[in-house]
Amino acid sequence: MKLTEIFRRGELSLSFEVFPPKTTSAFDSVKNATEEIARLRPSFMSVTYGAGGGTSRFTLDIARNIKQRYDVPMLAHLTCVSSTRETVRARIDDMIAAGIENVMALRGDLTPELEAGDRSGWAYHHAVELVRELKQSGAGFCIGGACYPEIHPESVDQHEDILHLKEKVDAGCDFLTTQMFFDNNLFYNFMYKIREAGITVPVLPGIMPITNAKQVERAIHLSGSFMPQRFKALVDKFGNNPAAMKQAGIAYATDQIIDLYANGIRNVHVYSMNKPDVAAAIQANLSDIIG
Ligand code: FAD
């Protein structure tokens, strides 16, 4: 099923993101975790694409398995920056063969080697080029793109970032998913600005439940997200108590999601990080809200 069909229904939706294993030996444990999440019957699930494409085939293996065994709509991520056109076209063909209807078109992060190297020979510089490639495939994919309520770290300012986002949407994105954020007001502000800029596609807020203190540092480092005082206090108080931190992190993410639904947002995506217990707890907290 295409995700646009889910968004068109106008009901509240909750979806979960998982990531593929980095090694063949980890495949079974990741597969089991993703199956546990699938048994929660989320609105859809997404599978990330390994940075640099190293674990690319596992993305499709996990997506295909969930789609076939659990009939949960799947969104497969694909990055392009370190790939040749031939590789990207081969991946697109693999997706078509696997019956994948939804693709998240991403540039991928620049590794220090990529940043230092000569860019003139790159087949892809930005995600917009991958969006065009997916459109040209003629497969009729439902295409997603990434967006950044707190600005992409490489952008000079938000105005420029939103101009590029508009170009990406105009090239064929059917929806957008945001980078994680911990202060909903940053998201509402961003929504106001992109709607003003003429971006009208559905935008799914991406919510990351922080369930251990170590994750905080990693999340901030990767996303550059602003940590509200309310969240910092929670980490200071419970960071050394794993069980308490997990409960508090799930409660904080739930609170963010309820606030989003209450303010008219219908589709929320949770970065559930292959943690079925966290996904289940959030879903249980929302059981009477999402029905
Ligand atoms: P782009 O849309 O290309 O934007 C990157 C930067 O380039 C921005 O600053 C933008 O303003 C600028 N830009 C865009 N177009 C142009 C243009 N035409 N000219 C000049 N500048 C331009 N990474 C993975 O490796 N695997 C994943 O599965 C994955 N999933 C993600 C899911 C989400 C929801 C998000 C938010 C990120 C994800 N990432 C993933 C990380 C992502 O690859 C990085 O954030 C990357 O740095 C940017 O990717 P993008 O697709 O947003 O790039």
Side-chain angles (χ1 to χ4, degrees), residues 48-51 77 79 104-109 126-128 146-148 152 154-155 161 164 167-168 177-179 271:
T48 63
Y49 194 81
H77 291 204
T79 67
M104 188 75 180
L106 298 145
R107 184 195 68 179
D109 276 323
H126 296 289
V128 63
C147 64
Y148 303 83
H152 186 275
E154 289 164 39
S155 286
D161 208 23
H164 293 312
E167 189 192 358
K168 187 158 72 173
T177 305
T178 75
Q179 178 61 284
Y271 296 119

Side-chain angles (χ1 to χ4, degrees), residues 20-264:
K22 289 196 173 62
T23 58
T24 309
S25 59
F27 187 83
D28 282 345
S29 70
V30 169
K31 180 168 160 268
N32 290 341
T34 59
E35 288 190 2
E36 263 190 74
I37 294 176
R39 282 194 282 273
L40 298 170
R41 312 291 314 162
S43 304
F44 72 89
M45 283 169 68
S46 64
V47 191
T48 63
Y49 194 81
T55 57
S56 56
R57 76 189 166 85
F58 293 139
T59 296
L60 210 50
D61 290 344
I62 296 284
R64 190 194 292 115
N65 178 58
I66 300 290
K67 184 173 153 50
Q68 287 174 353
R69 296 194 58 193
Y70 296 91
D71 199 26
V72 171
M74 294 307 294
L75 169 65
H77 291 204
L78 181 63
T79 67
C80 61
V81 73
S82 56
S83 301
T84 61
R85 268 190 203 279
E86 291 67 36
T87 308
V88 165
R89 285 178 186 157
R91 296 278 168 264
I92 293 174
D93 287 344
D94 292 344
M95 288 193 187
I96 295 170
I100 297 295
E101 294 171 282
N102 308 291
V103 183
M104 188 75 180
L106 298 145
R107 184 195 68 179
D109 276 323
L110 299 181
T111 59
E113 299 80 63
L114 280 171
E115 277 204 86
D118 172 16
R119 301 182 184 200
S120 59
W122 292 5
Y124 304 91
H125 295 81
H126 296 289
V128 63
E129 295 158 272
L130 179 57
V131 173
R132 292 191 185 116
E133 185 90 50
L134 286 160
K135 276 276 169 201
Q136 276 162 19
S137 75
F141 289 119
C142 166
I143 302 171
C147 64
Y148 303 83
E150 295 175 73
I151 310 176
H152 186 275
E154 289 164 39
S155 286
V156 177
D157 56 36
Q158 194 166 43
H159 177 71
E160 182 198 280
D161 208 23
I162 290 176
L163 284 181
H164 293 312
L165 185 62
K166 173 88 166 68
E167 189 192 358
K168 187 158 72 173
V169 171
D170 289 346
C173 284
D174 297 292
F175 70 97
L176 299 168
T177 305
T178 75
Q179 178 61 284
M180 68 180 86
F181 56 86
F182 300 97
D183 178 345
N184 285 3
N185 286 329
L186 294 167
F187 172 76
Y188 298 135
N189 206 342
F190 173 70
M191 286 302 292
Y192 176 77
K193 289 180 181 160
I194 65 169
R195 295 302 187 221
E196 280 279 292
I199 297 173
T200 58
V201 294
V203 180
L204 279 66
I207 299 298
M208 167 77 92
I210 298 284
T211 53
N212 64 66
K214 251 199 273 165
Q215 214 187 333
V216 178
E217 243 171 73
R218 210 173 329 123
I220 306 271
H221 174 71
L222 286 176
S223 67
S225 305
F226 166 70
M227 281 280 157
Q229 192 50 44
R230 201 164 75 82
F231 190 81
K232 277 192 202 140
L234 181 153
V235 178
D236 286 347
K237 182 79 181 169
F238 305 118
N240 290 328
N241 178 341
M245 184 63 222
K246 183 171 167 185
Q247 196 168 43
I250 288 170
Y252 191 93
T254 304
D255 190 45
Q256 273 192 284
I257 297 170
I258 292 173
D259 179 73
L260 290 162
Y261 285 149
N263 281 283

